[in-house]
């Protein structure tokens, strides 16, 4: 579990047993690298390598070192993941959730807000995602997509045209905490959406969809 | 353009020219249905049908009527879009941006915040999306994915386990407006990511990726 005392104990056992060249990467998303470094005599080869669920399919690994990280260590880690067919990004500063979990948290907050305020059902908010922006985001990230949204004028034209809309939407987005009542509303919405399928059935369906998409786009990504 | 006076003028020309059974759907995302209904003598067959960009590829159409909408009209509209191969969701309440644009606005705000605060480059935040959560969201929406994230325990177990993490992330997410300085930072990040490719090149690449994914998952969606 993501408890610092357990991690520090573990590192005290690991460190004497590994060769000096070994690099150790942690996948913890709830603890910071600097907190965990305190468990090491020499933290110069202890870094963040955070995959994304389901890790057997999703290519992303978030990589981070800091001022205590040894020279060239991050580059070795990036080559290691690239050789394993992963796609890495560089996290330059310690923040809760790194990058991908924060994007995900931002989306889920608004998804919940829309359900909570009666704008749409759990099932329809989810459907809006997979039939809508989700498909685009599997191709490209949000800023590049907006760069393409304004044609030849690119992102500069897009920002000029839509600044007022985004500022208005941002001011109107929901702010909330996940309370037990809200969790119940979501659980009941998901029960309806699942329509009798077990999490295992649905996970297999998810993995099938992701695998099919990954295979289909692999030749296009390689170009 | 999304200006109410122009819309009202247009509707005054359209209404006398159409048969009484005709349904008119607006795709405006910046104006509300009730504002636009004011342009109609009989607004009972004037509804929202909001597609998502690029509309020639993305299946989603957000459909909304309100208390002035005629009985059964929304159902006809949904059948029309389904016959055209689209996927509809029902928006039950008028909010700026409907559903998909709000999810998108929530993501983009945090994406910009991560760039602004030096956590990652524009290119890497975009990469975190397409290599990470974007792939999952092309398969299923965020709440269903979390339902599967906790195994057999489902969403109830997920909420229990991660309530503290999400509440902490939500409290830490960025709040901002799109100012000219920030737009400049994004434009320069996208120029680097585009690496000489024109918006037209990149749009063709985007459409190729989306088309390949849609073809690959079509047999799985039909089940």
């Amino acid at each position: 579990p993501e408890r610092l005392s357990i991690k520090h104990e573990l590192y005290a056992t690991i460190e004497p047993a590994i060769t000096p060249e070994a690099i150790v990467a942690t996948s913890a998303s709830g603890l910071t690298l600097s907190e965990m470094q305190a468990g090491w005599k020499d933290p110069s080869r202890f870094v963040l390598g955070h995959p994304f669920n389901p890790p057997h399919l999703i290519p992303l690994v978030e990589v981070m070192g800091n001022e205590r990280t040894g020279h060239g260590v991050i580059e070795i880690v990036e080559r290691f993941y690239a050789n394993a067919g992963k796609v890495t990004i560089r996290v330059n500063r310690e923040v809760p959730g790194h990058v991908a979990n924060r994007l995900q948290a931002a989306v889920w907050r608004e998804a919940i807000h829309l359900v909570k305020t009666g704008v749409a059902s759990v099932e329809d908010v989810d459907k809006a995602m997979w039939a809508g922006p989700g498909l685009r985001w599997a191709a490209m990230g949000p800023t590049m997509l907006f760069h393409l949204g304004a044609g030849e004028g690119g992102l500069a034209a897009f920002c000029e045209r839509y600044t007022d809309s985004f500022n208005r939407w941002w001011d109107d987005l929901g702010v909330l905490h996940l309370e037990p009542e809200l969790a119940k509303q979501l659980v009941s919405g998901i029960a309806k959406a699942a329509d009798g399928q077990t999490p295992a059935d649905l996970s297999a369906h998810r993995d099938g969809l992701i695998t099919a998409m990954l295979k289909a786009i692999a030749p296009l990504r390689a170009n």
Side-chain angles (χ1 to χ4, degrees), chain A:
Chain A
E2 299 207 331
R3 283 225 300 280
L4 214 47
S5 59
I6 299 177
K7 298 276 184 196
H8 287 169
E9 236 177 272
L10 177 70
Y11 300 148
T13 316
I14 290 177
E15 194 170 13
I18 57 176
T19 62
E21 317 83 56
I23 296 173
V24 178
T26 173
S27 67
S29 69
L31 301 170
T32 66
L33 184 63
S34 48
E35 284 169 344
M36 288 184 281
Q37 281 175 331
W40 294 81
K41 278 189 189 119
D42 172 14
S44 67
R45 300 175 82 79
F46 172 71
V47 299
L48 177 82
H50 183 246
F52 205 73
N53 198 51
H56 58 290
L57 294 178
I58 299 291
L60 179 68
V61 180
E62 299 174 283
V63 174
M64 189 179 75
N66 59 15
E67 69 292 343
R68 306 186 68 179
T69 303
H71 183 73
V73 169
I74 286 297
E75 287 74 13
I76 297 171
V77 169
E78 286 173 335
R79 273 200 303 280
F80 169 81
Y81 284 120
N83 287 339
K86 293 292 183 181
V87 173
T88 60
I89 69 151
R90 191 81 74 93
V91 182
N92 300 319
R93 209 165 65 72
E94 215 158 78
V95 284
H98 320 311
V99 171
N101 268 329
R102 292 175 72 95
L103 297 177
Q104 175 163 267
V107 151
W108 202 37
R109 180 166 63 174
E110 185 56 23
I112 294 174
H113 174 70
L114 289 163
V115 170
K116 184 185 175 189
T117 55
V119 175
S121 68
V122 170
E123 188 171 359
D124 273 5
V125 174
D126 269 4
K127 199 189 275 189
M129 179 61 96
W130 62 253
L135 262 170
R136 303 195 332 190
W137 288 332
M140 288 176 179
T143 304
M144 182 58 88
L145 287 164
F146 290 146
H147 178 54
L148 309 183
E152 285 305 313
L155 189 61
F158 183 90
C159 287
E160 219 163 288
R161 198 176 309 162
Y162 295 110
T163 287
D164 290 348
S165 294
F166 275 97
N167 287 345
R168 189 164 66 102
W169 291 335
W170 288 336
D171 291 344
D172 197 61
L173 295 181
V175 174
L176 53 78
H177 274 188
L178 187 54
E179 312 288 359
E181 272 313 301
L182 203 46
K184 265 187 216 163
Q185 191 180 352
L186 297 173
V187 167
S188 115
I190 278 296
K192 215 179 151 200
D195 195 24
Q197 297 170 87
T198 66
D201 294 339
L202 290 160
S203 294
H205 183 51
R206 174 199 64 191
D207 287 3
L209 290 165
I210 295 176
T211 304
M213 288 188 287
L214 281 170
K215 274 190 199 160
I217 61 180
L220 297 166
R221 287 274 184 231
N223 287 340

